[in-house]
Amino acid sequence: MEIPPIPGALVINIGDTLQILSNGRYKSAEHRVRTTSEQPRVSIPIFTIPKPTEKIGPLPQLVERDGVALYREEFGRDYGYPNGPRSIDEIRATEFKRLDQNGLVYLDHAGATLYSELQMEAIFKDLNSRVYGNPHSQSEASSATLEIVREARQQVLDYCNASPKDYKCIFTSGATAALKLIGEAFPWNHESNFMYTMENHNSVLGIREYALSQGAAAFAVDIESPVHHDGIRVSLHPVQRRYEAEFMEGEPMGDAYNLFAFPSECNFSGFRFSLELVKLIKDNSERISGGSQFCKGSWMVLIDAAKGCATQPPDLSKYPADFVVISFYKLFGYPTGLGALIVQNGKLSIRVLNFCSPGTVAASFADVDFVKRRESVEELFEDGTISFLSIASMCHGFKILNSLTAPRICRHTASLTMYVEKMLLALRHENGAKVCMIYKSHASKVLCCESGSILSFNLKRPDGSWFGYREVEKLASLSGIQLRTGCFCNPGACAKYLGLSHLDLLSNLEAGHVCWDDNDIIQGKPTGAVRVSFGYMSTYEDAKKFIDFITRSFVSSPNKSANGNLFRPRSIPSQVMVPEMCFISTSIDLNQGLMLVESPRCKAKLKINLRTDSYPCAKEEIELHAKRFEVQHCENDVNLWFSNAVGRPCTLLRCFSSKGYVCRNENRAMSMCRDVESRLSFANEAQFLLISEESISDLNNRLSQNVQKGTQGTSLQVNPMRFRPNLVISGGEPYAEDGWRSLKIGNKSFTSLGGCNRCQMINFVHRSGQVQRSNEPLATLATYRRVKGKILFGILLRYENSDKTGLQTDSCLQVGQEVHPDSEEGYTKYKE
């Protein structure tokens, strides 16, 4: 394995000579750099090659990990909690052992950060030693719960430096629920305006529905830094209304309340908005918007701190926002399903919700229309019994954050982000082309704070075309790296940074693209991005492993294929989602017309009658793999057998005919099934899969070499059945089947539809009744079988039936028949 050099590093090959003085400087005696055979090169950071006679300072440590010195010289003052209660190495060794034990690099802290193992031990000890009762009672256990809840509210306010005289903390099921509460309770009318930055989560955009339904106007804005002065300017996007802005009976004129929403940290780009926006919007909304008619009235400000609060909580004593929303699993991993709305006193009780739930009612009559609500804001808006056990767990998470302190966490994560950004921008293909496009805003200090903990980007091939983000995610997963791809539920920022117009977005939708699907490149443009994000427990080693992965997998070099190959998985087949299906085996008794099905989870064999007249159920149509099928259901006992075999409800369907493709977009249909002329049922790509024993042997040799090089722990050998082939052949060269256009077996003709794109399914193996997963053999295949976005192994075939009226009478293949392929290289014989 060759270690790529880093910028500013001296690369020393085995056998090169250094002249070193006895005191650590150069001397005349020869000393050779010793490395293992697996690492023929050593990168020494921040060091240049001197002239032979030139005197230099002390030689850097040769055994130091690649890039550590370079990293620490530039970022060392902020990395690892210097002068803190614990170093980052201590934190990882004692509180996140599971990461190293499982070989994981976790880089999705913007989605959900990780809980500490010591944190969970403290929580379980607390719950096992104390009794917490329902807080809607007067018992001793309930009183203890009320006290814990009171302390938790104060902890939340303290974290945001909010005085309890000015703010209240309302617990919700998460930041989304808190935003929904604002949308429901805000006093919208036809003169109100909901203004929000383009960089906002879908949950913030959800408030727009409440505003528009009440006759208010809504519009997105871009907040920009003018060229000639250090202020800001608001550029309005088209104003949205659902009703005419006319006087509505019962609404006072000139008494409009407006709401402005922005994230403290954009979860797409990591852009951190300056909290000075709070004062600027509340005090100067008309001036900064150029006197727009939509910026009159009283303005309230909402900060979505769900992401930003983990590293930079808003200081509400300096920036008195009216609303702040938080999700605690993004702060310290656990508990999930719990968030908070911090609200300025008097700002949410303007409109009281209609629904009356336990905890919000002081008194009510069951048989007459009478209800008296509670007066405190917390009790008024916390529906039902709050999640008091989760709230009791919060103090252990805050204990960690408060010991490290938010400023230290901010500097630590920012140092990692800046390092990864610098390394990605420095990557070049062998032709000099840039590898990485990072999506980052460059704004004035008035608008933007320092760097955040997020980096979003896309990767390019040497020819300038894009690697798909799903391909990056799949290969990263094979390398034990967990990251996130897509638009991250932030459509405005995604479109803004990727340069997608409304027409582009509509075209993508028409092409079948929806959130979380595999359509990562449409008409040559990315539909989303790759995102890495860091947490308080992230390390330099995490960042370095990620950079090494990108370099190894996506950067072309003279010693590596430069065709920009990548992995684009096809639609996830059912066995990937339900690996227990691999325990099911089948056989067919042609004499009796039965299919016999077995599973170690079922005592009796299942016998399924193959005669078409044995299905009493009526026919219906379903859509599968972009094709319509006419099917019939099997009997309930058959469905029950399969349900028991895989441990979840199942239905077995029998296909009678296909109705042709019904997708609106031809490309979408074609991407699901290459065998468009197939007469067989439920084929997601083709009728047959052919595997060569010589190709299997070559793969096993490579797997053995990986063990010798130390990249695998134990020897792994695979047999052809790991790939679920229909046909296994022998007698040719490895991968000769790649070039076949067609072939004959006996008098049967087949057409090649190209290589089979492999997925995670081939990494599943069942032993002793258990499904075991690994990264192999897909990880090894990815190193040398990536072709135009796919990891190929084996070829797909279509049977060419010469009898158009039906099946041939002699339609069987036999072991030992010769295989006659027709390829570009000529006509060759193989044994089947």
Side-chain angles (χ1 to χ4, degrees):
M1 179 183 68
E2 182 171 290
I3 303 177
I6 61 173
L10 164 65
V11 175
I12 303 174
N13 295 297
I14 290 180
D16 286 352
T17 300
L18 293 181
Q19 295 180 321
I20 308 175
L21 295 175
S22 58
N23 62 356
R25 300 176 183 270
Y26 276 76
K27 67 176 183 178
S28 58
E30 291 188 352
H31 294 264
R32 294 184 181 274
V33 177
R34 298 184 180 274
T35 64
T36 64
S37 59
E38 293 84 2
Q39 294 182 333
R41 307 173 75 185
V42 178
S43 296
I44 303 177
I46 56 171
F47 190 67
T48 58
I49 302 176
K51 297 178 181 179
T53 58
E54 181 180 357
K55 292 184 178 180
I56 63 170
L59 183 70
Q61 294 179 1
L62 300 183
V63 296
E64 192 167 34
R65 290 168 295 183
D66 280 357
V68 173
L70 175 66
Y71 174 78
R72 288 185 172 173
E73 175 165 293
E74 187 165 357
F75 307 108
R77 290 172 296 179
D78 296 325
Y79 173 77
Y81 310 106
N83 303 319
R86 292 162 296 163
S87 69
I88 185 61
D89 293 335
E90 291 173 329
I91 291 173
R92 284 295 288 261
T94 59
E95 301 183 42
F96 297 91
K97 298 185 293 293
R98 63 190 187 276
L99 292 177
D100 293 333
Q101 290 171 353
N102 294 307
L104 291 179
V105 174
Y106 187 83
L107 299 177
D108 187 25
H109 296 274
T113 198
L114 300 176
Y115 53 79
S116 158
E117 292 154 21
L118 296 183
Q119 171 191 354
M120 298 306 296
E121 290 177 8
I123 291 172
F124 292 142
K125 181 178 179 181
D126 185 5
L127 296 180
N128 286 331
S129 61
R130 302 183 65 176
V131 176
Y132 294 106
N134 190 315
H136 297 162
S137 181
Q138 296 296 318
S139 68
E140 183 177 345
S142 297
S143 298
T145 301
L146 284 172
E147 180 61 21
I148 287 293
V149 171
R150 186 198 64 77
E151 293 176 359
R153 294 191 204 276
Q154 187 60 50
Q155 281 185 310
V156 175
L157 295 179
D158 289 344
Y159 189 67
C160 294
N161 200 15
S163 168
K165 297 180 180 178
D166 301 322
Y167 287 92
K168 300 298 181 184
C169 172
I170 300 171
F171 286 119
T172 65
S173 63
T176 297
L179 292 165
K180 184 173 182 285
L181 180 58
I182 295 172
E184 291 174 338
F186 197 83
W188 306 108
N189 63 33
H190 73 284
E191 293 185 330
S192 296
N193 300 284
F194 176 46
M195 180 170 68
Y196 51 93
T197 60
M198 283 290 289
E199 300 91 341
N200 260 305
H201 195 274
N202 266 330
S203 298
V204 175
L205 299 186
I207 295 177
R208 179 177 57 185
E209 299 300 309
Y210 295 100
L212 294 177
S213 66
Q214 296 295 323
F219 48 90
V221 297
D222 284 308
I223 299 182
E224 304 163 345
S225 301
V227 177
H228 300 295
H229 61 87
D230 205 23
I232 67 169
R233 181 179 64 243
V234 175
S235 297
L236 277 65
H237 287 256
V239 176
Q240 309 153 55
R241 277 195 185 275
R242 289 184 181 164
Y243 307 103
E244 290 295 329
E246 57 188 21
F247 178 75
M248 297 182 180
E249 184 176 356
E251 290 189 4
M253 291 292 293
D255 190 20
Y257 289 93
N258 307 303
L259 181 63
F260 171 66
F262 72 98
S264 58
E265 181 176 349
C266 173
N267 76 323
F268 186 94
S269 65
F271 181 83
R272 279 181 171 163
F273 286 89
S274 170
L275 298 185
E276 291 289 344
L277 282 174
V278 175
K279 297 178 181 178
L280 290 170
I281 293 296
K282 292 170 77 73
D283 300 337
N284 303 285
S285 58
E286 292 189 42
R287 181 178 63 82
I288 64 176
S289 62
S292 169
Q293 61 174 321
F294 298 102
C295 291
K296 298 179 180 179
S298 299
W299 278 90
M300 299 186 194
V301 177
L302 158 66
I303 300 176
D304 176 9
K307 171 58 190 79
C309 212
T311 54
Q312 194 176 60
D315 185 343
L316 295 181
S317 67
K318 293 183 180 179
Y319 311 105
D322 300 276
F323 311 103
V324 176
V325 298
I326 298 174
S327 274
F328 294 109
Y329 72 93
K330 296 196 177 186
L331 291 179
F332 32 73
Y334 183 89
T336 59
L338 183 66
L341 168 61
I342 302 175
V343 56
Q344 201 172 115
N345 290 341
K347 295 299 177 69
L348 197 61
S349 57
I350 301 173
R351 170 176 290 179
V352 177
L353 306 184
N354 293 325
F355 182 71
C356 296
S357 63
T360 67
V361 176
S364 64
F365 296 166
D367 55 347
V368 296
D369 183 9
F370 176 83
V371 61
K372 178 176 175 57
R373 300 178 185 271
R374 293 185 179 271
E375 296 182 357
S376 71
V377 173
E378 299 97 324
E379 294 175 323
L380 192 61
F381 289 99
E382 289 175 346
D383 292 334
T385 301
I386 56 178
S387 183
F388 55 89
L389 292 182
S390 293
I391 294 172
S393 302
M394 286 170 43
C395 64
H396 303 288
F398 274 119
K399 183 179 180 180
I400 293 175
L401 298 188
N402 292 335
S403 67
L404 296 175
T405 73
R408 283 199 189 105
I409 295 173
C410 181
R411 292 193 297 269
H412 171 75
T413 55
S415 72
L416 291 168
T417 306
M418 289 187 289
Y419 166 72
V420 171
E421 178 182 356
K422 181 174 182 177
M423 299 301 287
L424 287 176
L425 291 176
L427 294 177
R428 295 290 187 276
H429 291 294
E430 62 173 333
N431 64 357
K434 290 185 177 181
V435 175
C436 186
M437 167 69 75
I438 293 179
Y439 303 112
K440 183 178 181 180
S441 178
H442 301 280
S444 70
K445 293 183 179 180
V446 173
L447 178 58
C448 176
C449 292
E450 63 272 13
S451 176
S453 58
I454 290 175
L455 206 63
S456 291
F457 59 91
N458 274 311
L459 302 175
K460 284 188 172 184
R461 297 185 179 90
D463 62 3
S465 61
W466 296 98
F467 285 100
Y469 57 77
R470 284 287 290 153
E471 301 150 12
V472 180
E473 183 177 24
K474 289 295 182 181
L475 287 175
S477 180
L478 288 175
S479 298
I481 297 174
Q482 312 299 311
L483 45 77
R484 188 171 174 184
T485 63
C487 277
F488 325 123
C489 300
N490 196 324
C494 185
K496 178 177 179 178
Y497 287 101
L498 269 60
L500 299 175
S501 65
H502 289 168
L503 181 60
D504 291 329
L505 297 174
L506 289 174
S507 297
N508 292 349
L509 186 62
E510 286 296 318
H513 174 54
V514 295
C515 294
W516 307 340
D517 68 9
D518 289 344
N519 293 319
D520 47 17
I521 303 290
I522 297 180
Q523 296 182 350
K525 291 183 178 181
T527 59
V530 182
R531 185 184 74 185
V532 295
S533 51
F534 298 95
Y536 74 83
M537 73 298 294
S538 298
T539 64
Y540 163 79
E541 286 76 16
D542 292 337
K544 181 62 167 59
K545 289 177 182 178
F546 171 71
I547 294 297
D548 289 345
F549 156 71
I550 294 293
T551 304
R552 180 176 64 250
S553 303
F554 300 99
V555 180
S556 67
S557 66
N559 297 322
K560 185 172 62 175
S561 173
N563 61 3
N565 293 333
L566 66 156
F567 168 42
R568 180 188 297 277
R570 46 177 202 265
S571 299
I572 299 176
S574 59
Q575 194 168 335
V576 172
M577 297 181 290
V578 190
E580 293 81 5
M581 291 178 64
C582 69
F583 295 126
I584 298 175
S585 60
T586 61
S587 62
I588 293 179
D589 187 329
L590 293 177
N591 294 327
Q592 298 186 53
L594 295 176
M595 179 168 67
L596 306 178
V597 190
E598 296 181 79
S599 170
R601 295 188 173 187
C602 300
K603 295 181 179 180
K605 290 184 180 180
L606 176 65
K607 298 180 180 180
I608 300 177
N609 197 325
L610 298 180
R611 295 193 304 270
T612 57
D613 58 359
S614 65
Y615 287 70
C617 302
K619 296 179 181 179
E620 63 174 293
E621 286 190 357
I622 66 168
E623 181 179 339
L624 184 67
H625 306 309
K627 200 172 185 179
R628 298 292 295 184
F629 293 96
E630 190 175 43
V631 300
Q632 279 186 312
H633 289 260
C634 293
E635 297 177 350
N636 288 335
D637 57 343
V638 174
N639 296 331
L640 180 60
W641 190 96
F642 278 102
S643 299
N644 292 332
V646 300
R648 65 191 68 193
C650 295
T651 299
L652 184 66
L653 301 177
R654 173 164 183 158
C655 176
F656 282 86
S657 65
S658 61
K659 298 296 185 179
Y661 290 93
V662 297
C663 289
R664 291 176 294 174
N665 182 274
E666 183 180 1
N667 291 331
R668 182 184 176 197
M670 289 293 291
S671 68
M672 294 184 178
C673 180
R674 280 182 267 175
D675 191 0
V676 295
E677 300 177 14
S678 172
R679 297 180 60 200
L680 297 185
S681 60
F682 300 157
N684 64 333
E685 280 203 301
Q687 295 171 310
F688 299 101
L689 169 63
L690 180 145
I691 294 291
S692 158
E693 286 189 343
E694 284 70 27
S695 300
I696 291 287
S697 178
D698 179 78
L699 171 60
N700 282 326
N701 288 337
R702 294 171 186 268
L703 291 170
S704 297
Q705 292 172 9
N706 289 342
V707 174
Q708 295 172 4
K709 293 178 180 179
T711 57
Q712 287 182 10
T714 58
S715 178
L716 169 67
Q717 297 287 283
V718 297
N719 61 44
M721 300 315 296
R722 175 74 72 92
F723 298 90
R724 299 176 297 162
N726 306 100
L727 304 171
V728 180
I729 65 169
S730 65
E733 295 295 323
Y735 314 111
E737 62 272 17
D738 293 345
W740 296 352
R741 293 176 297 185
S742 61
L743 62 118
K744 278 191 174 183
I745 305 177
N747 63 349
K748 310 300 184 298
S749 298
F750 299 84
T751 298
S752 173
L753 301 175
C756 179
N757 182 19
R758 311 313 309 207
C759 68
Q760 296 273 0
M761 190 64 243
I762 64 175
N763 289 342
F764 295 171
V765 61
H766 56 92
R767 294 191 181 96
S768 304
Q770 297 293 326
V771 178
Q772 298 179 2
R773 308 180 186 217
S774 69
N775 290 335
E776 296 292 357
L778 191 59
T780 294
L781 286 173
T783 63
Y784 74 105
R785 296 289 297 171
R786 292 166 60 201
V787 179
K788 295 182 179 179
K790 302 175 182 178
I791 301 176
L792 302 181
F793 194 80
I795 61 172
L796 300 170
L797 301 176
R798 179 178 65 237
Y799 173 53
E800 301 297 347
N801 185 8
S802 59
D803 184 358
K804 302 300 181 182
T805 61
L807 291 174
Q808 295 174 340
T809 55
D810 181 18
S811 57
C812 294
L813 300 178
Q814 295 181 354
V815 174
Q817 285 183 301
E818 290 186 345
V819 179
H820 298 269
D822 181 14
S823 66
E824 297 176 358
E825 299 178 356
Y827 194 75
T828 314
K829 291 197 302 183
Y830 295 92
K831 289 290 185 179
E832 185 235 2

